[in-house]
Amino acid sequence: MILAKGQILPSEEQPQVIQSLSKQLLETLQKPHTLSTEKVIQACDILAKKVLHGDYDVILAPILSQLNVSHDDFNDAVMLFTKTALEEKIRIELGELEPLQAPVKRSRHPLGVLFHIAAGNVDGLPAYSVLEGLLVGNINLLKLPAGDQGLSIFILHELIRIEPELTDYIYVFDVPSTELASLKQLANVADAVVVWGGDVAVQATKELVDSKTKVIAWGHKVSFAYATNNATDEQLTKLAQHICETNQMFCSSCQGIYVDTFSREEQDQFAKRFFDLFEAVNQSFKPIPFDRKARNAIQLYDEQLRQHETHHTLYLGQGCSVISKESSDLEGSYLFRNVWVKRLPRTKIIETLKPHKNHLQTVGLCVEPSDVVELSHLFIQSGLVRITTPEGMSKTIPGGAHDGMYPLLEYSRIVELA
């Protein structure tokens, strides 16, 4: 399915819609007034209230079940669409423009047309990316990620139904990543391409566009926890809960734990301690889907076979694992409740992490309050952009930055009139 001119259409009509898109966009850009931010917020607020009231439960329940998203988690995400949250986001991200010396006036305007290439690791993210473009008046073209299951089209179609003025500002396409000709057509009519994904996706997008088109990249980032031997059981339990809740699928999800020690023995003792807590927490969560569990089983079996070479210590549980590793290099994990533990004394933090610069995002601190200031400084100097508690690693707040930057600023421009 695709969404164009306010209508849900079969994918077979996609080529014709893309072919006529340039003409449609020009007509919208020629309108005397840009999209009203107030109308966008009002429509989102109405939609959020209807969702929270349960008006869409019959439609949403099977979609959320297929995506393995709990009703509570979805409702938490819906709160970001409320009037209170969106007004706070605009206040924080855009602020007030300082006046210039007369007679010069300046004002904020949309970039024009945004082409969103969304990732599928966060359910609902494609629709929220479009919402951010709408808030500053852009026309938005969305490429659906694989496995979207219709959630994004449902959300965006309902917004249009609530506020018909959004009709000309939202288009959703189901274009495979291999269909380069269609992707280039969409990129060519955009003022900027917003890409969510890893290095390969970002590089592919840069090769897709010409020099006149801006590329705004979000991700791929790596996040981790940092612990001292004085970390409390409460802190580590909350970290384990975070890992089970996110399945390590977000850029802000904990991939592993660095321990403030030079000693491999202390590192292994910490790994065993965390594993015991982790295994207990994991039992209270819904099991990992079988296909993911099967893939992890192969990876972990390989770890077992190669322990004499790698010098890794492996702690295996029912649906979770902890691998105590020799190297301190930053890396991703096997995902789905499989965590590495490495030693990283605080004196080595900057030299170890700085080479990863733009891949760093969040660190969750499992430390004593007296250590927070010193460690925060070291992580900031290394390039981290979020420093928080273990339970707050993936918490989204209105006005929160994306990878250390404000998206609404990226999606708008300042015009000066003299």
Side-chain angles (χ1 to χ4, degrees):
M1 295 186 299
I2 66 172
L3 177 61
K5 300 299 287 183
Q7 296 184 335
I8 296 177
L9 304 170
S11 297
E12 290 76 19
E13 296 191 30
Q14 184 164 264
Q16 298 95 303
V17 173
I18 294 177
Q19 194 65 35
S20 63
L21 188 59
S22 180
K23 179 175 180 293
Q24 300 284 353
L25 297 179
L26 288 174
E27 290 177 357
T28 302
L29 291 170
Q30 287 170 355
K31 290 182 178 181
H33 303 290
T34 55
L35 182 63
S36 164
T37 299
E38 290 72 22
K39 287 187 177 181
V40 174
I41 292 176
Q42 184 179 15
C44 289
D45 192 60
I46 292 172
L47 177 63
K49 288 176 179 176
K50 289 169 73 69
V51 171
L52 295 172
H53 187 260
D55 291 6
Y56 301 116
D57 280 0
V58 173
I59 299 171
L60 288 174
I63 297 176
L64 297 180
S65 176
Q66 202 163 8
L67 292 170
N68 200 29
V69 177
S70 73
H71 198 273
D72 288 343
D73 287 344
F74 183 67
N75 282 352
D76 288 343
V78 170
M79 292 302 296
L80 296 175
F81 282 71
T82 63
K83 180 179 180 180
T84 300
L86 294 178
E87 287 182 341
E88 181 72 355
K89 179 180 179 68
I90 289 172
R91 183 190 69 80
I92 292 172
E93 296 192 29
L94 297 181
E96 294 290 334
L97 286 176
E98 293 293 328
L100 294 175
Q101 188 174 9
V104 179
K105 297 179 181 179
R106 64 180 177 182
S107 53
R108 196 184 310 277
H109 296 268
L111 288 181
V113 180
L114 301 181
F115 176 31
H116 305 258
I117 301 178
N121 63 321
V122 183
D123 303 310
L125 174 62
Y128 192 73
S129 185
V130 168
L131 168 58
E132 289 180 320
L134 290 171
L135 286 173
V136 283
N138 290 287
I139 303 170
N140 298 269
L141 320 176
L142 170 64
K143 176 197 174 302
L144 288 173
D148 188 78
Q149 304 298 335
L151 181 61
S152 297
I153 283 185
F154 170 77
I155 293 172
L156 296 172
H157 184 250
E158 281 302 298
L159 280 179
I160 293 171
R161 192 184 64 78
I162 292 168
E163 177 47 74
E165 190 175 324
L166 299 178
T167 298
D168 294 331
Y169 293 85
I170 300 173
Y171 295 83
V172 182
F173 299 100
D174 189 13
V175 183
S177 297
T178 54
E179 200 172 301
L180 296 181
S182 295
L183 292 175
K184 284 185 177 181
Q185 281 182 280
L186 294 170
N188 285 340
V189 297
D191 294 276
V193 179
V194 179
V195 54
W196 300 79
D199 293 344
V200 173
V202 173
Q203 185 58 40
T205 301
K206 289 179 178 179
E207 294 173 1
L208 193 69
V209 304
D210 59 29
S211 59
K212 300 185 290 295
T213 305
K214 181 179 180 180
V215 175
I216 302 170
W218 305 117
H220 162 73
K221 306 296 180 180
V222 179
S223 299
F224 54 87
Y226 191 82
T228 63
N229 285 317
N230 293 324
T232 66
D233 282 357
E234 180 183 8
Q235 288 173 320
L236 298 181
T237 297
K238 288 180 178 178
L239 178 61
Q241 290 170 339
H242 154 79
I243 292 167
C244 291
E245 287 168 354
T246 66
N247 285 324
Q248 301 167 279
M249 290 294 290
F250 307 159
C251 287
S252 57
S253 296
C254 175
Q255 301 301 308
I257 309 169
Y258 279 124
V259 185
D260 184 14
T261 182
F262 284 96
S263 166
R264 175 60 189 264
E265 182 181 359
E266 288 185 359
Q267 173 188 324
D268 287 343
Q269 289 172 350
F270 176 91
K272 178 61 168 65
R273 178 189 168 202
F274 179 73
F275 171 73
D276 291 339
L277 295 168
F278 188 23
E279 191 173 31
V281 167
N282 182 57
Q283 292 175 4
S284 65
F285 281 83
K286 186 176 179 180
I288 295 295
F290 178 78
D291 58 333
R292 301 293 186 180
K293 191 181 295 185
R295 188 193 69 171
N296 284 342
I298 295 171
Q299 293 169 322
L300 294 171
Y301 180 65
D302 183 62
E303 282 282 352
Q304 287 179 297
L305 292 178
R306 298 192 303 112
Q307 276 182 286
H308 66 286
E309 299 174 3
T310 62
H311 305 293
H312 294 169
T313 303
L314 183 61
Y315 303 93
L316 277 175
Q318 291 295 320
C320 66
S321 74
V322 173
I323 306 173
S324 185
K325 295 194 171 186
E326 181 61 27
S327 168
S328 294
D329 289 343
L330 181 67
E331 61 179 328
S333 69
Y334 289 146
L335 304 177
F336 298 100
R337 306 177 200 174
N338 295 281
V339 183
W340 50 256
V341 171
K342 303 185 178 191
R343 59 188 180 277
L344 181 61
R346 63 185 69 192
T347 55
K348 300 285 188 180
I349 287 176
I350 295 178
E351 66 179 83
T352 301
L353 298 179
K354 192 62 176 177
H356 297 279
K357 30 191 172 182
N358 291 326
H359 283 159
L360 301 172
Q361 199 208 65
T362 301
V363 56
L365 298 180
C366 301
V367 303
E368 292 183 301
S370 58
D371 284 324
V372 171
V373 172
E374 177 190 357
L375 290 171
S376 295
H377 172 73
L378 293 172
F379 285 122
I380 290 170
Q381 293 298 92
S382 301
L384 275 293
V385 296
R386 292 188 72 226
I387 300 167
T388 183
T389 58
E391 67 271 25
M393 290 185 67
S394 293
K395 184 178 181 181
T396 303
I397 57 174
H402 288 351
D403 301 337
M405 302 174 69
Y406 284 145
L408 299 190
L409 285 178
E410 293 292 306
Y411 301 163
S412 57
R413 57 199 166 94
I414 307 300
V415 177
E416 296 177 353
L417 299 173

PDB file of all heavy atoms in Angstrom, residues 21-45:
ATOM      1  N   LEU A  21       4.595  13.210  -9.433  1.00  0.00           N
ATOM      2  CA  LEU A  21       4.881  13.835  -8.136  1.00  0.00           C
ATOM      3  C   LEU A  21       5.460  15.240  -8.265  1.00  0.00           C
ATOM      4  O   LEU A  21       5.062  16.153  -7.524  1.00  0.00           O
ATOM      5  CB  LEU A  21       5.848  12.942  -7.344  1.00  0.00           C
ATOM      6  CG  LEU A  21       6.120  13.344  -5.894  1.00  0.00           C
ATOM      7  CD1 LEU A  21       4.820  13.361  -5.091  1.00  0.00           C
ATOM      8  CD2 LEU A  21       7.107  12.372  -5.262  1.00  0.00           C
ATOM      9  N   SER A  22       6.372  15.433  -9.184  1.00  0.00           N
ATOM     10  CA  SER A  22       7.017  16.737  -9.325  1.00  0.00           C
ATOM     11  C   SER A  22       5.987  17.848  -9.553  1.00  0.00           C
ATOM     12  O   SER A  22       6.053  18.916  -8.930  1.00  0.00           O
ATOM     13  CB  SER A  22       8.024  16.709 -10.478  1.00  0.00           C
ATOM     14  OG  SER A  22       8.648  17.961 -10.618  1.00  0.00           O
ATOM     15  N   LYS A  23       5.014  17.594 -10.411  1.00  0.00           N
ATOM     16  CA  LYS A  23       3.955  18.567 -10.694  1.00  0.00           C
ATOM     17  C   LYS A  23       3.118  18.837  -9.431  1.00  0.00           C
ATOM     18  O   LYS A  23       2.801  19.987  -9.106  1.00  0.00           O
ATOM     19  CB  LYS A  23       3.062  18.064 -11.827  1.00  0.00           C
ATOM     20  CG  LYS A  23       1.904  18.984 -12.195  1.00  0.00           C
ATOM     21  CD  LYS A  23       1.167  18.425 -13.404  1.00  0.00           C
ATOM     22  CE  LYS A  23      -0.006  19.330 -13.799  1.00  0.00           C
ATOM     23  NZ  LYS A  23      -1.074  19.324 -12.768  1.00  0.00           N
ATOM     24  N   GLN A  24       2.791  17.772  -8.700  1.00  0.00           N
ATOM     25  CA  GLN A  24       1.988  17.928  -7.486  1.00  0.00           C
ATOM     26  C   GLN A  24       2.727  18.768  -6.433  1.00  0.00           C
ATOM     27  O   GLN A  24       2.137  19.637  -5.778  1.00  0.00           O
ATOM     28  CB  GLN A  24       1.670  16.545  -6.890  1.00  0.00           C
ATOM     29  CG  GLN A  24       0.902  15.610  -7.801  1.00  0.00           C
ATOM     30  CD  GLN A  24      -0.573  15.979  -7.894  1.00  0.00           C
ATOM     31  OE1 GLN A  24      -1.040  16.854  -7.177  1.00  0.00           O
ATOM     32  NE2 GLN A  24      -1.291  15.319  -8.781  1.00  0.00           N
ATOM     33  N   LEU A  25       4.032  18.519  -6.297  1.00  0.00           N
ATOM     34  CA  LEU A  25       4.818  19.247  -5.298  1.00  0.00           C
ATOM     35  C   LEU A  25       4.917  20.728  -5.652  1.00  0.00           C
ATOM     36  O   LEU A  25       4.829  21.603  -4.771  1.00  0.00           O
ATOM     37  CB  LEU A  25       6.216  18.635  -5.186  1.00  0.00           C
ATOM     38  CG  LEU A  25       6.279  17.175  -4.695  1.00  0.00           C
ATOM     39  CD1 LEU A  25       7.720  16.696  -4.668  1.00  0.00           C
ATOM     40  CD2 LEU A  25       5.637  17.026  -3.326  1.00  0.00           C
ATOM     41  N   LEU A  26       5.108  21.014  -6.923  1.00  0.00           N
ATOM     42  CA  LEU A  26       5.190  22.419  -7.337  1.00  0.00           C
ATOM     43  C   LEU A  26       3.893  23.158  -7.042  1.00  0.00           C
ATOM     44  O   LEU A  26       3.916  24.315  -6.600  1.00  0.00           O
ATOM     45  CB  LEU A  26       5.525  22.507  -8.826  1.00  0.00           C
ATOM     46  CG  LEU A  26       6.960  22.139  -9.219  1.00  0.00           C
ATOM     47  CD1 LEU A  26       7.110  22.128 -10.730  1.00  0.00           C
ATOM     48  CD2 LEU A  26       7.957  23.115  -8.581  1.00  0.00           C
ATOM     49  N   GLU A  27       2.780  22.512  -7.271  1.00  0.00           N
ATOM     50  CA  GLU A  27       1.487  23.141  -6.983  1.00  0.00           C
ATOM     51  C   GLU A  27       1.351  23.446  -5.493  1.00  0.00           C
ATOM     52  O   GLU A  27       0.833  24.499  -5.106  1.00  0.00           O
ATOM     53  CB  GLU A  27       0.345  22.224  -7.444  1.00  0.00           C
ATOM     54  CG  GLU A  27       0.226  22.121  -8.959  1.00  0.00           C
ATOM     55  CD  GLU A  27      -0.861  21.143  -9.386  1.00  0.00           C
ATOM     56  OE1 GLU A  27      -1.478  20.508  -8.489  1.00  0.00           O
ATOM     57  OE2 GLU A  27      -1.104  21.005 -10.610  1.00  0.00           O
ATOM     58  N   THR A  28       1.813  22.544  -4.651  1.00  0.00           N
ATOM     59  CA  THR A  28       1.737  22.773  -3.200  1.00  0.00           C
ATOM     60  C   THR A  28       2.673  23.894  -2.782  1.00  0.00           C
ATOM     61  O   THR A  28       2.309  24.761  -1.969  1.00  0.00           O
ATOM     62  CB  THR A  28       2.101  21.478  -2.437  1.00  0.00           C
ATOM     63  OG1 THR A  28       1.211  20.429  -2.844  1.00  0.00           O
ATOM     64  CG2 THR A  28       1.983  21.679  -0.937  1.00  0.00           C
ATOM     65  N   LEU A  29       3.884  23.915  -3.333  1.00  0.00           N
ATOM     66  CA  LEU A  29       4.855  24.950  -2.974  1.00  0.00           C
ATOM     67  C   LEU A  29       4.400  26.336  -3.421  1.00  0.00           C
ATOM     68  O   LEU A  29       4.800  27.353  -2.829  1.00  0.00           O
ATOM     69  CB  LEU A  29       6.216  24.627  -3.608  1.00  0.00           C
ATOM     70  CG  LEU A  29       6.946  23.401  -3.023  1.00  0.00           C
ATOM     71  CD1 LEU A  29       8.145  23.040  -3.887  1.00  0.00           C
ATOM     72  CD2 LEU A  29       7.387  23.669  -1.583  1.00  0.00           C
ATOM     73  N   GLN A  30       3.542  26.402  -4.445  1.00  0.00           N
ATOM     74  CA  GLN A  30       3.079  27.682  -4.961  1.00  0.00           C
ATOM     75  C   GLN A  30       1.909  28.257  -4.160  1.00  0.00           C
ATOM     76  O   GLN A  30       1.473  29.384  -4.416  1.00  0.00           O
ATOM     77  CB  GLN A  30       2.674  27.536  -6.433  1.00  0.00           C
ATOM     78  CG  GLN A  30       3.878  27.378  -7.368  1.00  0.00           C
ATOM     79  CD  GLN A  30       3.478  26.981  -8.779  1.00  0.00           C
ATOM     80  OE1 GLN A  30       2.312  26.735  -9.058  1.00  0.00           O
ATOM     81  NE2 GLN A  30       4.458  26.919  -9.669  1.00  0.00           N
ATOM     82  N   LYS A  31       1.436  27.513  -3.190  1.00  0.00           N
ATOM     83  CA  LYS A  31       0.350  28.040  -2.360  1.00  0.00           C
ATOM     84  C   LYS A  31       0.815  29.297  -1.626  1.00  0.00           C
ATOM     85  O   LYS A  31       1.973  29.397  -1.221  1.00  0.00           O
ATOM     86  CB  LYS A  31      -0.093  26.987  -1.345  1.00  0.00           C
ATOM     87  CG  LYS A  31      -0.823  25.790  -1.945  1.00  0.00           C
ATOM     88  CD  LYS A  31      -1.262  24.826  -0.849  1.00  0.00           C
ATOM     89  CE  LYS A  31      -2.040  23.653  -1.437  1.00  0.00           C
ATOM     90  NZ  LYS A  31      -2.497  22.707  -0.380  1.00  0.00           N
ATOM     91  N   PRO A  32      -0.072  30.253  -1.411  1.00  0.00           N
ATOM     92  CA  PRO A  32       0.332  31.522  -0.782  1.00  0.00           C
ATOM     93  C   PRO A  32       0.726  31.375   0.682  1.00  0.00           C
ATOM     94  O   PRO A  32       1.421  32.240   1.230  1.00  0.00           O
ATOM     95  CB  PRO A  32      -0.914  32.409  -0.936  1.00  0.00           C
ATOM     96  CG  PRO A  32      -2.045  31.449  -1.127  1.00  0.00           C
ATOM     97  CD  PRO A  32      -1.480  30.276  -1.845  1.00  0.00           C
ATOM     98  N   HIS A  33       0.280  30.313   1.328  1.00  0.00           N
ATOM     99  CA  HIS A  33       0.598  30.129   2.744  1.00  0.00           C
ATOM    100  C   HIS A  33       1.180  28.739   2.968  1.00  0.00           C
ATOM    101  O   HIS A  33       0.779  27.773   2.329  1.00  0.00           O
ATOM    102  CB  HIS A  33      -0.656  30.300   3.605  1.00  0.00           C
ATOM    103  CG  HIS A  33      -1.329  31.627   3.437  1.00  0.00           C
ATOM    104  ND1 HIS A  33      -0.785  32.807   3.896  1.00  0.00           N
ATOM    105  CD2 HIS A  33      -2.506  31.961   2.831  1.00  0.00           C
ATOM    106  CE1 HIS A  33      -1.592  33.804   3.601  1.00  0.00           C
ATOM    107  NE2 HIS A  33      -2.647  33.324   2.948  1.00  0.00           N
ATOM    108  N   THR A  34       2.144  28.659   3.898  1.00  0.00           N
ATOM    109  CA  THR A  34       2.714  27.363   4.242  1.00  0.00           C
ATOM    110  C   THR A  34       1.820  26.660   5.262  1.00  0.00           C
ATOM    111  O   THR A  34       0.877  27.251   5.799  1.00  0.00           O
ATOM    112  CB  THR A  34       4.129  27.523   4.823  1.00  0.00           C
ATOM    113  OG1 THR A  34       4.078  28.416   5.945  1.00  0.00           O
ATOM    114  CG2 THR A  34       5.083  28.068   3.781  1.00  0.00           C
ATOM    115  N   LEU A  35       2.130  25.431   5.526  1.00  0.00           N
ATOM    116  CA  LEU A  35       1.342  24.617   6.448  1.00  0.00           C
ATOM    117  C   LEU A  35       1.357  25.214   7.852  1.00  0.00           C
ATOM    118  O   LEU A  35       2.402  25.621   8.364  1.00  0.00           O
ATOM    119  CB  LEU A  35       1.914  23.197   6.477  1.00  0.00           C
ATOM    120  CG  LEU A  35       1.192  22.175   7.345  1.00  0.00           C
ATOM    121  CD1 LEU A  35      -0.223  21.945   6.845  1.00  0.00           C
ATOM    122  CD2 LEU A  35       1.977  20.865   7.361  1.00  0.00           C
ATOM    123  N   SER A  36       0.202  25.253   8.478  1.00  0.00           N
ATOM    124  CA  SER A  36       0.069  25.807   9.821  1.00  0.00           C
ATOM    125  C   SER A  36       0.564  24.810  10.871  1.00  0.00           C
ATOM    126  O   SER A  36       0.044  23.701  10.975  1.00  0.00           O
ATOM    127  CB  SER A  36      -1.401  26.154  10.096  1.00  0.00           C
ATOM    128  OG  SER A  36      -1.625  26.335  11.475  1.00  0.00           O
ATOM    129  N   THR A  37       1.550  25.217  11.663  1.00  0.00           N
ATOM    130  CA  THR A  37       2.061  24.379  12.749  1.00  0.00           C
ATOM    131  C   THR A  37       0.962  24.078  13.761  1.00  0.00           C
ATOM    132  O   THR A  37       0.862  22.961  14.281  1.00  0.00           O
ATOM    133  CB  THR A  37       3.242  25.071  13.452  1.00  0.00           C
ATOM    134  OG1 THR A  37       4.299  25.278  12.507  1.00  0.00           O
ATOM    135  CG2 THR A  37       3.761  24.226  14.611  1.00  0.00           C
ATOM    136  N   GLU A  38       0.135  25.069  14.021  1.00  0.00           N
ATOM    137  CA  GLU A  38      -0.943  24.883  14.993  1.00  0.00           C
ATOM    138  C   GLU A  38      -1.908  23.780  14.541  1.00  0.00           C
ATOM    139  O   GLU A  38      -2.372  22.972  15.352  1.00  0.00           O
ATOM    140  CB  GLU A  38      -1.717  26.188  15.202  1.00  0.00           C
ATOM    141  CG  GLU A  38      -0.944  27.268  15.948  1.00  0.00           C
ATOM    142  CD  GLU A  38       0.172  27.901  15.127  1.00  0.00           C
ATOM    143  OE1 GLU A  38       0.105  27.825  13.871  1.00  0.00           O
ATOM    144  OE2 GLU A  38       1.117  28.438  15.726  1.00  0.00           O
ATOM    145  N   LYS A  39      -2.200  23.734  13.250  1.00  0.00           N
ATOM    146  CA  LYS A  39      -3.110  22.701  12.738  1.00  0.00           C
ATOM    147  C   LYS A  39      -2.467  21.314  12.819  1.00  0.00           C
ATOM    148  O   LYS A  39      -3.147  20.320  13.074  1.00  0.00           O
ATOM    149  CB  LYS A  39      -3.528  23.022  11.303  1.00  0.00           C
ATOM    150  CG  LYS A  39      -4.516  24.179  11.209  1.00  0.00           C
ATOM    151  CD  LYS A  39      -5.023  24.347   9.794  1.00  0.00           C
ATOM    152  CE  LYS A  39      -6.082  25.460   9.732  1.00  0.00           C
ATOM    153  NZ  LYS A  39      -6.627  25.637   8.362  1.00  0.00           N
ATOM    154  N   VAL A  40      -1.150  21.244  12.589  1.00  0.00           N
ATOM    155  CA  VAL A  40      -0.444  19.973  12.717  1.00  0.00           C
ATOM    156  C   VAL A  40      -0.533  19.471  14.153  1.00  0.00           C
ATOM    157  O   VAL A  40      -0.862  18.307  14.411  1.00  0.00           O
ATOM    158  CB  VAL A  40       1.035  20.117  12.303  1.00  0.00           C
ATOM    159  CG1 VAL A  40       1.800  18.820  12.580  1.00  0.00           C
ATOM    160  CG2 VAL A  40       1.145  20.483  10.826  1.00  0.00           C
ATOM    161  N   ILE A  41      -0.267  20.358  15.101  1.00  0.00           N
ATOM    162  CA  ILE A  41      -0.297  19.979  16.521  1.00  0.00           C
ATOM    163  C   ILE A  41      -1.701  19.571  16.941  1.00  0.00           C
ATOM    164  O   ILE A  41      -1.883  18.578  17.658  1.00  0.00           O
ATOM    165  CB  ILE A  41       0.221  21.147  17.394  1.00  0.00           C
ATOM    166  CG1 ILE A  41       1.714  21.368  17.136  1.00  0.00           C
ATOM    167  CG2 ILE A  41      -0.032  20.873  18.869  1.00  0.00           C
ATOM    168  CD1 ILE A  41       2.292  22.554  17.870  1.00  0.00           C
ATOM    169  N   GLN A  42      -2.697  20.319  16.496  1.00  0.00           N
ATOM    170  CA  GLN A  42      -4.079  20.015  16.861  1.00  0.00           C
ATOM    171  C   GLN A  42      -4.490  18.634  16.332  1.00  0.00           C
ATOM    172  O   GLN A  42      -5.103  17.839  17.052  1.00  0.00           O
ATOM    173  CB  GLN A  42      -5.024  21.082  16.315  1.00  0.00           C
ATOM    174  CG  GLN A  42      -6.470  20.883  16.738  1.00  0.00           C
ATOM    175  CD  GLN A  42      -7.381  21.975  16.200  1.00  0.00           C
ATOM    176  OE1 GLN A  42      -7.013  22.717  15.297  1.00  0.00           O
ATOM    177  NE2 GLN A  42      -8.570  22.093  16.769  1.00  0.00           N
ATOM    178  N   ALA A  43      -4.111  18.330  15.091  1.00  0.00           N
ATOM    179  CA  ALA A  43      -4.452  17.030  14.516  1.00  0.00           C
ATOM    180  C   ALA A  43      -3.763  15.903  15.273  1.00  0.00           C
ATOM    181  O   ALA A  43      -4.374  14.867  15.568  1.00  0.00           O
ATOM    182  CB  ALA A  43      -4.058  16.998  13.041  1.00  0.00           C
ATOM    183  N   CYS A  44      -2.496  16.095  15.605  1.00  0.00           N
ATOM    184  CA  CYS A  44      -1.747  15.072  16.349  1.00  0.00           C
ATOM    185  C   CYS A  44      -2.347  14.854  17.728  1.00  0.00           C
ATOM    186  O   CYS A  44      -2.447  13.713  18.210  1.00  0.00           O
ATOM    187  CB  CYS A  44      -0.283  15.481  16.479  1.00  0.00           C
ATOM    188  SG  CYS A  44       0.653  15.407  14.941  1.00  0.00           S
ATOM    189  N   ASP A  45      -2.755  15.935  18.366  1.00  0.00           N
ATOM    190  CA  ASP A  45      -3.327  15.831  19.710  1.00  0.00           C
ATOM    191  C   ASP A  45      -4.655  15.072  19.686  1.00  0.00           C
ATOM    192  O   ASP A  45      -4.922  14.232  20.555  1.00  0.00           O
ATOM    193  CB  ASP A  45      -3.526  17.229  20.299  1.00  0.00           C
ATOM    194  CG  ASP A  45      -3.844  17.199  21.785  1.00  0.00           C
ATOM    195  OD1 ASP A  45      -3.009  16.686  22.555  1.00  0.00           O
ATOM    196  OD2 ASP A  45      -4.927  17.673  22.176  1.00  0.00           O
TER     197      ASP A  45
END
